[in-house]
Amino acid sequence: MRLPRRRLAVYCVAFLFAIVMNFAVPRLMPGSPVDSMIAQLGPRATPAAIEAIKARFGAIEQPMWQQFVDYIVGLAHFDLGVSVKYYPQTVLEVLGRSAGWTAFLVVTAIVFSLSIGVSLGALAAWRRGGRFDSFVSPFSVVMIAVPPVIIALATLFIFGVTLRLLPVGYAYDPSLDPGFNFTYFGSVFLHAIMPVLTLSPYLIGEFQTTMRSSMISVLGEDYVTMGRAKGLSESAVMFGYAARNAMLPVLTNLALMLGAVFGGSIVTEIVFNYPGLGLTLYTASVARDYPVIQGQLLLMTMATLGANLLVDILYGVVDPRIREGRA
């Protein structure tokens, strides 16, 4: 499967623009990493300590053009630098420790929401105008409109503080040693329930709304009528004929929503103290840790562009008409 050159050029331009923005955005914040580290030392900020900090992180205080050149050279060598907040760890080590938890959280929320949202959308379209559709469709709009921070705080208060059914923070019980055993995996599962429930309402609402609209547009097609004429069951026609061909807009919407999902995961991880990329970005922003912020934003950008590229490829696999048009 090959993509048109114009489409590939769009991805390249978007990636180059993201590189420039990743460099510029952290430096628009007031203060600097060196000033932040000196302030954290407090009474321990002796002249010798200040000189040591400036000697190690003085490059961050260089002229902007020199910093940008160093940044581009580092990217060319896959070197994102050393973290200011987590010194002497490198940015790759910091992000590598956090990326797995965010990926687990986001993928779980997407799979969970996709299965529920698509099913609800298909049923609402199949029974459009009925009681089920009249309840589910407006409720999906409400779920899309509610900010993740509201859902996170409500979930935390109800299930974590009031009912005390679920743990209120961390990715697993701190008293456990990570290992390949049911106790550890069970703890990871319990700690992920509330973050996943926080990310899911928006996704379920988007998937339901998109699937319903797409499904209604294909219900009048000839192949759906033929399925009914064959005497197939209602579920076979609904999912085997109509829903299958209505999935293309859902795939597109999934790629477009990935940026919003990452944004929601940042808020979610901060509220639940979940050790993912969102919490890492927050702590790095407070410490003015330019290298980690740059690496974090670059990673999220690459994930979003990669998802859109994957959807472009899947389009040609799912719909042969698109594949023939690219040939």
Side-chain angles (χ1 to χ4, degrees), residues 94-175:
V94 174
L95 297 183
R97 185 174 61 246
S98 306
W101 292 113
T102 295
F104 167 69
L105 206 61
V106 170
V107 171
T108 303
I110 288 177
V111 172
F112 174 72
S113 304
L114 187 63
S115 58
I116 294 179
V118 167
S119 299
L120 292 178
L123 287 172
W126 191 262
R127 302 173 182 175
R128 62 189 181 280
R131 292 183 179 179
F132 182 81
D133 181 32
S134 299
F135 171 77
V136 171
S137 297
F139 190 66
S140 295
V141 177
V142 173
M143 289 194 293
I144 295 172
V146 178
V149 65
I150 301 298
I151 299 175
L153 293 174
T155 305
L156 180 66
F157 178 75
I158 295 172
F159 297 103
V161 178
T162 304
L163 301 178
R164 299 192 177 186
L165 295 176
L166 298 169
V168 296
Y170 304 108
Y172 57 89
D173 190 339
S175 64

Side-chain angles (χ1 to χ4, degrees), residues 42 56 63 76 88 95 100 175 190 236 249 258 267 296 313-314:
R56 181 63 187 88
L95 297 183
S175 64
L190 285 176
L258 194 58
V267 174
Q296 168 87 350
I313 296 174
L314 289 177

Side-chain angles (χ1 to χ4, degrees), residues 4 17 33 44 60 72 100 108 126 149-150 153 164 168 191 201 232 261 308 317:
F17 179 76
R44 297 174 297 167
I60 302 179
I72 296 298
T108 303
W126 191 262
V149 65
I150 301 298
L153 293 174
R164 299 192 177 186
V168 296
H191 283 75
L232 298 176
V261 175
N308 280 271
V317 175

Side-chain angles (χ1 to χ4, degrees), residues 3-13 309:
L3 294 176
R5 293 181 180 179
R6 182 178 299 177
R7 192 66 175 165
L8 291 175
V10 169
Y11 284 112
C12 291
V13 171
L309 178 61

Side-chain angles (χ1 to χ4, degrees), residues 7-324:
R7 192 66 175 165
L8 291 175
V10 169
Y11 284 112
C12 291
V13 171
F15 181 69
L16 293 175
F17 179 76
I19 289 177
V20 176
M21 292 302 298
N22 288 344
F23 173 82
V25 169
R27 287 162 176 80
L28 294 176
M29 298 186 299
S32 71
V34 173
D35 294 336
S36 177
M37 292 186 70
I38 294 175
Q40 290 177 10
L41 289 177
R44 297 174 297 167
T46 62
I50 294 175
E51 288 301 322
I53 292 175
K54 289 184 176 181
R56 181 63 187 88
F57 299 102
I60 302 179
E61 302 292 310
Q62 290 179 348
M64 197 68 68
W65 69 268
Q66 183 63 51
Q67 293 183 47
F68 184 72
V69 171
D70 294 339
Y71 171 61
I72 296 298
V73 171
L75 286 181
H77 293 85
F78 301 99
D79 180 13
L80 299 179
V82 178
S83 170
V84 175
K85 172 71 175 177
Y86 303 99
Y87 181 81
Q89 298 181 47
T90 64
V91 173
L92 290 178
E93 291 174 340
V94 174
L95 297 183
R97 185 174 61 246
S98 306
W101 292 113
T102 295
F104 167 69
L105 206 61
V106 170
V107 171
T108 303
I110 288 177
V111 172
F112 174 72
S113 304
L114 187 63
S115 58
I116 294 179
V118 167
S119 299
L120 292 178
L123 287 172
W126 191 262
R127 302 173 182 175
R128 62 189 181 280
R131 292 183 179 179
F132 182 81
D133 181 32
S134 299
F135 171 77
V136 171
S137 297
F139 190 66
S140 295
V141 177
V142 173
M143 289 194 293
I144 295 172
V146 178
V149 65
I150 301 298
I151 299 175
L153 293 174
T155 305
L156 180 66
F157 178 75
I158 295 172
F159 297 103
V161 178
T162 304
L163 301 178
R164 299 192 177 186
L165 295 176
L166 298 169
V168 296
Y170 304 108
Y172 57 89
D173 190 339
S175 64
L176 296 176
D177 292 326
F180 197 79
N181 53 72
F182 287 109
T183 303
Y184 173 69
F185 288 134
S187 180
V188 170
F189 173 77
L190 285 176
H191 283 75
I193 290 178
M194 284 201 292
V196 169
L197 290 178
T198 299
L199 292 174
S200 296
Y202 169 78
L203 293 172
I204 292 174
E206 285 283 1
F207 289 141
Q208 191 277 335
T209 304
T210 306
M211 186 63 184
R212 180 184 180 276
S213 300
S214 179
M215 183 93 164
I216 290 176
S217 67
V218 304
L219 285 178
E221 297 291 338
D222 293 339
Y223 51 79
V224 176
T225 304
M226 182 183 67
R228 287 170 171 163
K230 287 181 177 180
L232 298 176
S233 64
E234 184 177 281
S235 60
V237 176
M238 179 170 56
F239 291 105
Y241 284 77
R244 179 181 178 183
N245 290 279
M247 282 295 295
L248 286 179
V250 177
L251 292 176
T252 302
N253 204 23
L254 172 59
L256 296 175
M257 287 192 302
L258 194 58
V261 175
F262 277 129
S265 70
I266 293 175
V267 174
T268 301
E269 290 172 6
I270 293 173
V271 171
F272 294 104
N273 198 27
Y274 199 83
L277 293 172
L279 186 61
T280 300
L281 179 62
Y282 171 73
T283 56
S285 299
V286 172
R288 302 298 187 268
D289 192 343
Y290 291 170
V292 171
I293 297 174
Q294 291 171 177
Q296 168 87 350
L297 297 177
L298 183 64
L299 183 61
M300 287 187 171
T301 301
M302 291 176 62
T304 304
L305 291 176
N308 280 271
L309 178 61
L310 180 61
V311 167
D312 272 341
I313 296 174
L314 289 177
Y315 249 52
V317 175
V318 176
D319 193 339
R321 293 171 298 180
I322 297 178
R323 182 170 62 247
E324 293 170 0

